[in-house]
Amino acid sequence: MSYDRRDLLRLMGAAGAASFLPGASLALGRAPTDRRLIIIFQRGAQDGLQALVPYSDPFYYRYRPGIAIPKPGTANGALDLDGRFGLHPALTEFHKLWQAGDLAPIPAIASRYRERSHFDGQNLIENGSGTPFGANDGFLNRALQGFDDADARLGMAFGYTVPLALRGEAGVRSWSPSTFPEADGDFLMRLADSYRDDPVFAQAIEEGIAPMEGMADLSQREKRQAVRAQTMAPAAQAAADALSTADGPRIALIESNGWDTHNAITGRLNRLFADLDQAMGILRTGMADVWDDTLIITMSEFGRTARENGSAGTDHGTGGVSFVAGGAVEGGKIHGGWTGLGEGALYEDRDVAPVNSLESLLKAAIGPHMGLPMTYLDMVVLPDSDAIGPMKGLLG
């Protein structure tokens, strides 16, 4: 699913196409020289209720008696935001951004996906079509194709592979760490997707995935050893350096793995949030000269159950949380809707209700922030998705 300008003109028809003709008042956005967009993809489904703690809601503590983050002002308590919500105590750099007006949390957010498969959920978000495997290219690559100099390699991937979100006709750059961790199941599945049409590599990767299918039978210690932690710091520093240069990329995606917290959630999230927080601090410091033109979005394929499970963790859910940071955001307040956790408020009586649209958030970032026309986003980048709606007030 990839459109060049001729495709777009044909799709829109004569009336709509006029606005995209050379010299028209609504032209495709020129390659940005100042605006930056960074997306941090937390693969594995981040627990939004541990990241953005609704400590004023009594049902939070009722549903999570063993894992809930204590209220602000107590030992290991949440970092207060607005008297209703707080941040996980490891997110100290995020809290500084909130205090500076450079952080906007969005609770109860989800894509159009309503099932609970990691790989389908990630694929749907990345291809942008609204259907798992509904397109072979990514929504960010199609966004890059909308700029006047789409061949300028304005996109960049920071991880071990170029993710689907950035794959397509527009050229992109890539960076990967100099050392490779043990491959986890999520990585292997995405690698298999990349090489599914290659008979040699597809078979080899399938053989590599097979042993991972027995992960459910491993002990907790073996699972922790099999899925080794990967620090985000090198990728964050590389992204800050690259996006700060005058001729560098303008849209980047940083991958973070390990967010599938079915068990031992407290210790695992202490480490993961500390790593994410350090990465945000690196980006803030390293991009100081361009911070006012920068937007950073965290996202995950879905959220997790409102109730804890029997393994001191949570299971696959629906509504999660995204954080939007940067000098270009209207921060210091919670954006979007929130229906709470009370009786009748949960989706399917188990998940945080998905009242805020991830696609709307992405449109607000790619369109108004990066300068691409909304018509192009609606028809090409994220077709048939929700309008921006309450996200209109997100940008400063």
Side-chain angles (χ1 to χ4, degrees):
M1 182 179 181
S2 182
Y3 300 90
D4 59 22
R5 293 189 181 195
R6 289 186 295 273
D7 294 327
L8 182 61
L9 294 176
R10 185 169 59 253
L11 283 169
M12 292 184 67
S19 64
F20 285 89
L21 292 172
S25 59
L26 181 60
L28 284 176
R30 296 186 179 279
T33 57
D34 53 357
R35 295 296 179 95
R36 275 82 168 169
L37 172 64
I38 299 174
I39 292 177
I40 298 175
F41 200 159
Q42 298 165 281
R43 296 186 185 274
Q46 172 190 237
D47 191 312
L49 294 181
Q50 300 297 91
L52 183 65
V53 182
Y55 68 83
S56 64
D57 191 326
F59 284 89
Y60 172 69
Y61 294 99
R62 184 180 305 179
Y63 292 155
R64 300 185 170 204
I67 66 171
I69 304 297
K71 293 184 178 183
T74 60
N76 300 314
L79 305 174
D80 188 38
L81 297 181
D82 65 348
R84 299 179 303 147
F85 291 95
L87 295 174
H88 186 281
L91 295 176
T92 57
E93 293 294 331
F94 279 66
H95 196 236
K96 292 176 185 176
L97 290 174
W98 168 272
Q99 292 173 324
D102 290 347
L103 181 73
I106 305 172
I109 194 168
S111 73
R112 291 171 277 182
Y113 185 64
R114 290 293 176 269
E115 303 301 324
R116 299 178 179 91
S117 162
H118 292 300
F119 307 117
D120 285 356
Q122 291 177 22
N123 187 281
L124 178 145
I125 291 171
E126 292 192 78
N127 77 56
S129 71
T131 304
F133 303 97
N136 293 324
D137 59 353
F139 79 96
L140 284 177
N141 193 280
R142 295 196 297 275
L144 292 168
Q145 294 174 44
F147 294 117
D148 281 339
D149 51 351
D151 298 326
R153 289 161 59 86
L154 295 171
M156 191 164 184
F158 294 86
Y160 293 100
T161 62
V162 175
L164 174 60
L166 277 169
R167 296 207 301 263
E169 293 183 2
V172 299
R173 316 178 201 193
S174 64
W175 175 94
S176 63
S178 57
T179 58
F180 287 81
E182 295 175 10
D184 63 18
D186 182 70
F187 170 79
L188 288 172
M189 288 299 291
R190 287 185 285 116
L191 196 63
D193 176 55
S194 300
Y195 289 97
R196 65 183 182 277
D197 295 326
D198 188 307
V200 176
F201 281 100
Q203 181 178 353
I205 295 168
E206 182 178 355
E207 293 172 356
I209 291 174
M212 302 300 293
E213 294 175 351
M215 287 286 285
D217 297 327
L218 298 180
S219 69
Q220 290 187 14
R221 179 179 179 184
E222 289 170 325
K223 287 179 181 180
R224 290 195 295 270
Q225 291 173 340
V227 185
R228 191 169 67 186
Q230 303 169 31
T231 177
M232 292 176 61
Q237 188 61 65
D241 293 343
L243 273 75
S244 294
T245 61
D247 58 350
R250 292 296 177 262
I251 294 178
L253 191 148
I254 302 174
E255 296 185 273
S256 174
N257 296 304
W259 295 90
D260 195 17
T261 50
H262 288 284
N263 56 65
I265 192 172
T266 299
R268 294 173 66 185
L269 285 184
N270 286 342
R271 173 181 56 78
L272 286 165
F273 283 135
D275 185 46
L276 177 65
D277 194 63
Q278 180 187 30
M280 185 64 77
I282 290 171
L283 291 170
R284 174 64 184 93
T285 301
M287 301 183 70
D289 292 342
V290 296
W291 186 249
D292 287 346
D293 296 314
T294 295
L295 208 59
I296 302 171
I297 294 174
T298 70
M299 68 179 190
S300 203
E301 61 263 34
F302 41 72
R304 306 194 74 83
T305 51
R307 300 176 180 89
E308 66 181 71
N309 60 26
S311 301
T314 53
D315 299 320
H316 300 177
T318 307
V321 65
S322 283
F323 293 102
V324 186
V329 70
E330 187 66 35
K333 59 183 178 181
I334 309 294
H335 284 262
W338 169 253
T339 58
L341 303 175
E343 298 291 344
L346 298 183
Y347 177 70
E348 297 184 348
D349 193 36
R350 54 168 280 160
D351 302 341
V352 176
V355 297
N356 298 309
S357 165
L358 177 60
E359 287 86 359
S360 294
L361 170 59
L362 295 173
K363 281 184 179 181
I366 300 171
H369 178 64
M370 296 304 294
L372 286 177
M374 194 55 60
T375 309
Y376 182 73
L377 268 69
D378 286 337
M379 296 193 65
V380 177
V381 179
L382 292 163
D384 303 318
S385 61
D386 294 334
I388 288 181
M391 301 303 165
K392 284 184 177 179
L394 186 66
L395 304 182

